[in-house]
Amino acid sequence: MTPHFFGFGSLVNTATHVYGNTRPARLQGWRRAWVHTPERDLTFLSVTAAPGNVIEGLLAAVPNGDWAALDERETGYVRVDVTAQVGHDMAPAPQISLYQVPEETQDRDANGHKILMSYLDVVLRGYTEVFGEGGARAFMATTDGWDTPILDDRATPRYPRHQEMTTAERAFHDALIAEAGARVLADSL
């Protein structure tokens, strides 16, 4: 059977990848978190084990089990088998993995690390498209680390898979960010 990945961030936005056979799913016992590593100046979206928590995401098939391109895209992450923790409508259940930043590579000192607004916009658009506005709100509520500043790079997007946002999308995303109490910084470029 074809293995699948569980996307919980930008991989929920199907315009950022070529993987098909997508379907919504729920991951039990995990929470999203913004994390930092010494290798990057920016913050990663990852997941941490969190008993009793549930996050929504998207399953997509990895044809022929060829993980090479996805592994390259997800540099800095490791693949973790979560087959038994994902609720979905497929029978029989395929093998399911997600990408996680290993805890031992995380830097607890967040000085200078920021979340890219262009990345967050892509993630929120994906959640809105798959789960509706309530899904985008749930993404914000089930993600830790909103004390990390958000760098507003919309004028000159740094995220390589950025997408143009409508005025209504920007306003919705800005409202979610404000509700989360996140601090937005102007981009100095």
Side-chain angles (χ1 to χ4, degrees):
M1 175 157 225
T2 302
H4 284 63
F5 66 77
F6 179 85
F8 56 84
S10 64
L11 289 169
V12 172
N13 186 323
T14 58
T16 70
H17 59 81
V18 297
Y19 298 92
N21 193 24
T22 62
R23 58 185 14 97
R26 296 172 57 87
L27 178 65
Q28 302 283 333
W30 295 79
R31 233 179 123 72
R32 277 178 296 271
W34 294 105
V35 299
H36 320 98
T37 67
E39 294 83 34
R40 287 196 188 176
D41 293 333
L42 298 168
T43 302
F44 287 78
L45 186 60
S46 189
V47 288
T48 57
N53 285 270
V54 177
I55 59 173
E56 295 177 316
L58 194 72
L59 291 179
V62 181
N64 304 315
D66 183 4
W67 291 93
L70 203 50
D71 287 349
E72 184 176 326
R73 170 187 165 144
E74 301 301 316
T75 299
Y77 292 84
V78 295
R79 256 186 291 132
V80 177
D81 187 316
V82 290
T83 303
Q85 296 163 302
V86 178
H88 53 78
D89 63 359
M90 291 186 288
Q95 185 274 325
I96 302 170
S97 294
L98 58 72
Y99 286 91
Q100 177 187 35
V101 177
E103 200 163 314
E104 62 272 11
T105 67
Q106 294 179 25
D107 179 8
R108 301 287 178 226
D109 180 13
N111 290 337
H113 291 88
K114 297 171 187 66
I115 299 166
L116 282 182
M117 180 79 80
S118 58
Y119 173 76
L120 182 55
D121 280 337
V122 166
V123 173
L124 290 171
R125 175 184 266 174
Y127 271 89
T128 302
E129 289 175 349
V130 175
F131 299 103
E133 287 188 0
R137 284 187 172 83
F139 167 85
M140 299 294 288
T142 58
T143 303
D144 296 325
W146 294 114
D147 54 332
T148 304
I150 299 170
L151 181 66
D152 184 356
D153 67 329
R154 284 177 174 156
T156 309
R158 297 182 190 187
Y159 180 58
R161 288 173 285 282
H162 74 276
Q163 298 165 1
E164 292 297 319
M165 297 287 127
T166 67
T167 301
E169 284 175 313
R170 279 193 302 278
F172 177 56
H173 297 178
D174 290 346
L176 292 176
I177 291 164
E179 289 168 16
R183 187 167 49 116
V184 177
L185 305 175
D187 193 352
S188 59
L189 284 183

